[in-house]
Amino acid sequence: MAQLVSVIREKAKALENSSGMRGGFRSFTSAHKLAPESIRYSDYVLVRLFYEATRDAGLWNMHWAITDQPPNSDRIWQQWKSVKRPSVWESTATAECDELSALYAFLVERAGVKTAGLFWPAPNHTVAVWVVHPTTGPVVRVVVPTSQIFLDENDLFDTNKFNPWRQKTIYEYTRRDVPDSFELPKPLFNFFLQQVDKYAGASDVTLQKLRYLREGVFLRAWTPEQAAREALKRRSALGSAPVEDLAALQYFADDMRSEVLH
């Protein structure tokens, strides 16, 4: 686990120059009227990267379902331990909103970004919140929607659909859900890193589109071929979009066509 976090930190440094990260940061600082130099860009990149990786139907193929498990990520890690042949068509683990949010907050904390915790916008729902302390100006609470429950396609990282100030305190998630020595199967470890390499530099809008296509495949609402065609249709419609977006959509289509039914 420690090695996974370390490698993701290195990949985050490279992603700082990607169009998706730069564009997302501009939108984020503009929305909150923050001077870009008032917060650490490297923190933003890690926070956004882990969001895209661990969210429902995100880069690491998590899948939301009601599990009635405690608000920690223990069961996710145990499920991951048995994934010897990860598939782009299948989820790597099933978890409820509070488990997904705990996984996110746990990994963000292990990566060195402080003040990520859990927020209950409703009695039966949980998301994560990143609490930002700019060098100038008031504290900012950023909603990190690890699932799309109660949300739609327009609700992304930092959605304003939930007001995080309704909860008096956002407690930093400091629980060690698994030790640094926890071992993931090598094929799954490699899959996680490959997914980051392929997709994490794309824009919020493109990653959201791919999230919905991936979810459709998990739920059998789309066949892999239908999802591939939809991604390529989106790619054609983008025209002269940033190379990271065009590449992500092409990777997705190729991935959907890379496996055969057994």
Side-chain angles (χ1 to χ4, degrees):
M1 195 278 288
Q3 184 184 1
L4 176 68
V5 172
S6 177
V7 176
I8 293 296
R9 282 177 57 86
E10 288 302 312
K11 290 187 178 297
K13 290 179 184 176
L15 283 164
E16 289 181 10
N17 293 320
S18 67
S19 63
M21 287 295 181
R22 291 198 308 268
F25 187 66
R26 281 195 302 272
S27 297
F28 172 72
T29 53
S30 174
H32 293 282
K33 298 179 172 57
L34 291 169
E37 63 275 10
S38 69
I39 66 171
R40 289 166 58 96
Y41 178 51
S42 58
D43 283 357
Y44 169 85
V45 172
L46 277 166
V47 164
R48 180 182 181 268
L49 174 54
F50 277 118
Y51 160 68
E52 293 293 352
T54 61
R55 66 190 302 212
D56 174 29
L59 307 186
W60 290 356
N61 282 28
M62 296 298 302
H63 184 51
W64 178 90
I66 295 173
T67 62
D68 294 324
Q69 293 294 316
N72 60 56
S73 65
D74 297 22
R75 280 286 300 138
I76 295 171
W77 293 93
Q78 291 306 314
Q79 290 176 75
W80 277 347
K81 205 164 188 175
S82 65
V83 181
K84 303 297 194 290
R85 290 184 60 190
S87 166
V88 295
W89 296 352
E90 304 286 344
S91 62
T92 59
T94 298
E96 207 161 345
C97 51
D98 53 357
E99 297 173 272
L100 293 170
S101 300
L103 175 68
Y104 169 81
F106 169 64
L107 287 170
V108 164
E109 193 278 335
R110 295 300 297 122
V113 181
K114 302 304 180 184
T115 61
L118 308 187
F119 167 52
W120 282 261
N124 61 344
H125 187 47
T126 313
V127 295
V129 164
W130 173 39
V131 182
V132 183
H133 296 270
T135 55
T136 58
V139 171
V140 176
R141 289 185 178 181
V142 182
V143 174
V144 185
T146 50
S147 74
Q148 290 298 108
I149 304 301
F150 301 135
L151 303 174
D152 60 36
E153 285 195 47
N154 297 314
D155 292 301
L156 313 170
F157 178 85
D158 194 28
T159 176
N160 59 12
K161 192 66 67 71
F162 304 133
N163 176 11
W165 293 96
R166 285 184 59 238
Q167 185 170 304
K168 183 177 180 181
T169 305
I170 304 294
Y171 293 100
E172 183 176 349
Y173 193 89
T174 56
R175 184 179 186 273
R176 292 294 180 95
D177 291 357
V178 292
D180 287 355
S181 58
F182 184 94
E183 291 191 14
L184 291 167
K186 194 69 165 69
L188 183 65
F189 184 96
N190 291 339
F191 174 77
F192 285 168
L193 299 184
Q194 289 162 4
Q195 290 289 96
V196 168
D197 288 341
K198 289 175 180 178
Y199 300 109
S203 68
D204 293 332
V205 172
T206 289
L207 290 173
Q208 183 81 320
K209 177 66 176 178
L210 292 177
R211 194 216 77 84
Y212 275 91
L213 291 177
R214 200 176 281 117
E215 180 186 48
V217 173
F218 292 168
L219 296 175
R220 305 292 190 265
W222 296 83
T223 66
E225 177 59 29
Q226 286 171 330
R229 290 176 184 170
E230 193 66 21
L232 292 177
K233 187 188 303 181
R234 171 85 178 183
R235 186 181 190 277
S236 296
L238 286 180
S240 58
V243 63
E244 293 92 341
D245 285 59
L246 299 175
L249 291 160
Q250 185 67 56
Y251 278 132
F252 182 85
D254 292 345
D255 283 350
M256 286 295 115
R257 292 170 167 170
S258 67
E259 299 185 21
V260 295
L261 290 170
H262 297 287

